[in-house]
Amino acid sequence: MTQAVTTQHHEPVENTSTGLNSRKLLMWAFLGSDVMFFGAFIATYLVYRGKSLVGPYPDEILNIPVTSVSTFVLLMSSLAMVLGLHYVKEGNRGKATLWILMVVVLGAVFMGFQFVEFREFAHEGLTPRTNIFGTTFFILTGIHGAHVTIGVIWMAFLAYSSHTGKLRPDNALDLEIAGLYWHFVDIVWIVIFTVIYLISATDGAPAGVERVIHG
Amino acid sequence: MANLWQKFTKYDGNGWWNLPHSASNDPNPPHENPIGGSWLSNIIRTVTHGGVSHAGPGFYWLVGLFLAIITLLEVWLFGVEGLGGWYIPILLGLSALKFVGVVAFFMHLRFDHRMFTYVFASSMIVGILIFSILLFLLEFGHQPPN
């Protein structure tokens, strides 16, 4: 059981053994475990990078300009998230709801980009079963997409709470914890965009393997 | 112009760098870290923990702009030829900058209690170790004996 008291700076001090809010500490611990989770999948992608024996290969299929736009969208959703939290703490319900809704919209747009990308890849002949690139790519980006989906649903509930006045400065921690999750999803994508897209986009068939033209 | 800048970057009459100490910092003695009071610990403390409360919207917009510019730079570098062996280290460096920007400012780690930094940083270290060991084992573990 924890209790919160307010100091002269209006910051709550939790009556726990650490002096910290247990839910927030739990979220940080969860994010720490998720770092290892994603780290394992990114390492697996890198281990099998350039080892697909059949195409399509990354240089035939990855679309950097389109993914750059979706990356920008996700980055801006993080900005919207932090502004939403700021206005909740300030007690400005209208602006808070607007920015949290913006997070939902931008997150949904990112998911839309990913859906279109996956459909395009399937159309080009790349599925999780096509080659080792497809397997490692779809598992990594798919799990990230699942995280984004959970985040969007969570944010939609919080946007509704803000709209109805249930999300107030005194329980802004609910949004702060959700925000930590959302920003984490963003930083994972920062790494994925660099490693999977920008660094691997020129990978073709391995030496000694004949490239088959798809179409 | 100077007033406009002050209004944009400051919140509630305080500079974002000089906002009052968060109450949750109180149980944490000053200079408490594994390295002590060395110049390195000062750098770590400056980067990871400001001991100040959260910033204003203007500052967050600046961080957002910074992240957007780095993303643009990354995409531009993708089209630049002749970087050779520098391409991957530069991209990883820019990616790390964005990572730190989001974690430190959007996730408020820069302004929050040091314990959260320790929890996340220790997980990052273990995560990077797992990452490196996995890469090493899977890359060299299947080599047939000579």
Side-chain angles (χ1 to χ4, degrees):
Chain A
M1 183 68 82
T2 61
Q3 284 183 315
V5 293
T6 305
T7 66
Q8 56 179 337
H9 301 305
H10 308 291
E11 293 277 350
V13 177
E14 303 292 332
N15 188 18
T16 59
S17 56
T18 57
L20 305 172
N21 182 277
S22 301
R23 286 195 300 148
K24 193 169 166 183
L25 193 58
L26 179 67
M27 176 50 83
W28 274 110
F30 166 72
L31 297 182
S33 71
D34 235 17
V35 165
M36 298 176 217
F37 183 71
F38 276 105
F41 283 112
I42 293 170
T44 307
Y45 176 88
L46 288 175
V47 165
Y48 292 112
R49 182 184 164 210
K51 290 183 178 163
S52 290
L53 298 179
V54 295
Y57 300 106
D59 65 343
E60 298 170 316
I61 206 154
L62 292 180
N63 190 336
I64 298 299
V66 171
T67 314
S68 304
V69 175
S70 68
T71 301
F72 180 76
V73 166
L74 199 61
L75 272 178
M76 291 305 104
S77 76
S78 261
L79 175 62
M81 179 70 240
V82 81
L83 289 173
L85 177 62
H86 173 79
Y87 288 117
V88 167
K89 283 182 173 175
E90 210 176 55
N92 190 332
R93 201 166 96 184
K95 281 189 178 176
T97 306
L98 179 75
W99 283 111
I100 301 169
L101 263 181
M102 190 66 84
V103 177
V104 176
V105 170
L106 292 173
V109 169
F110 177 83
M111 284 162 57
F113 269 103
Q114 197 164 43
F115 175 77
V116 170
E117 183 187 47
F118 282 9
R119 200 181 59 171
E120 187 68 24
F121 285 3
H123 181 71
E124 296 282 335
L126 184 72
T127 69
R129 293 193 296 177
T130 307
N131 55 22
I132 198 72
F133 164 63
T135 307
T136 51
F137 172 85
F138 279 108
I139 286 179
L140 178 56
T141 54
I143 287 173
H144 178 267
H147 275 70
V148 175
T149 308
I150 292 167
V152 166
I153 295 168
W154 194 354
M155 289 303 153
F157 277 112
L158 286 169
Y160 180 73
S161 294
S162 176
H163 176 66
T164 54
K166 286 177 186 164
L167 192 61
R168 299 176 305 272
D170 60 320
N171 62 354
L173 190 69
D174 290 353
L175 183 64
E176 189 173 347
I177 289 171
L180 289 177
Y181 175 84
W182 188 260
H183 295 308
F184 177 76
V185 166
D186 185 22
I187 57 175
V188 169
W189 187 256
I190 286 173
V191 177
I192 291 177
F193 178 61
T194 303
V195 174
I196 311 298
Y197 288 88
L198 294 176
I199 290 178
S200 307
T202 51
D203 291 352
V209 174
E210 190 181 345
R211 185 187 288 263
V212 179
I213 305 297
H214 301 271
Chain B
M1 190 64 189
N3 281 343
L4 188 68
W5 176 254
Q6 297 261 326
K7 200 173 176 183
F8 186 67
T9 55
K10 292 187 174 185
Y11 172 66
D12 202 22
N14 288 301
W16 63 270
W17 210 253
N18 298 314
L19 281 169
H21 275 264
S22 163
S24 61
N25 291 325
D26 292 343
N28 212 29
H31 311 303
E32 184 190 61
N33 58 59
I35 306 168
S38 69
W39 61 272
L40 185 60
S41 76
N42 289 334
I43 292 173
I44 291 171
R45 191 165 52 248
T46 305
V47 171
T48 59
H49 185 80
V52 293
S53 187
H54 67 94
F59 175 66
Y60 293 135
W61 276 103
L62 281 180
V63 175
L65 183 69
F66 168 77
L67 296 172
I69 289 171
I70 293 183
T71 306
L72 270 177
L73 191 61
E74 284 178 330
V75 176
W76 175 74
L77 280 172
F78 178 72
V80 174
E81 288 181 11
L83 287 173
W86 288 103
Y87 178 65
I88 291 177
I90 291 172
L91 275 184
L92 291 178
L94 290 173
S95 176
L97 265 182
K98 284 201 307 189
F99 189 99
V100 170
V102 174
V103 171
F105 301 117
F106 283 178
M107 294 173 91
H108 296 135
L109 217 48
R110 175 73 172 76
F111 313 117
D112 226 328
H113 194 281
R114 220 168 275 160
M115 177 66 83
F116 298 123
T117 304
Y118 291 156
V119 169
F120 192 64
S122 55
S123 310
M124 282 293 295
I125 291 167
V126 175
I128 290 168
L129 270 176
I130 292 173
F131 182 86
S132 310
I133 291 168
L134 202 61
L135 277 181
F136 183 82
L137 285 179
L138 292 175
E139 193 66 29
F140 301 108
H142 297 303
Q143 296 293 332
N146 291 323

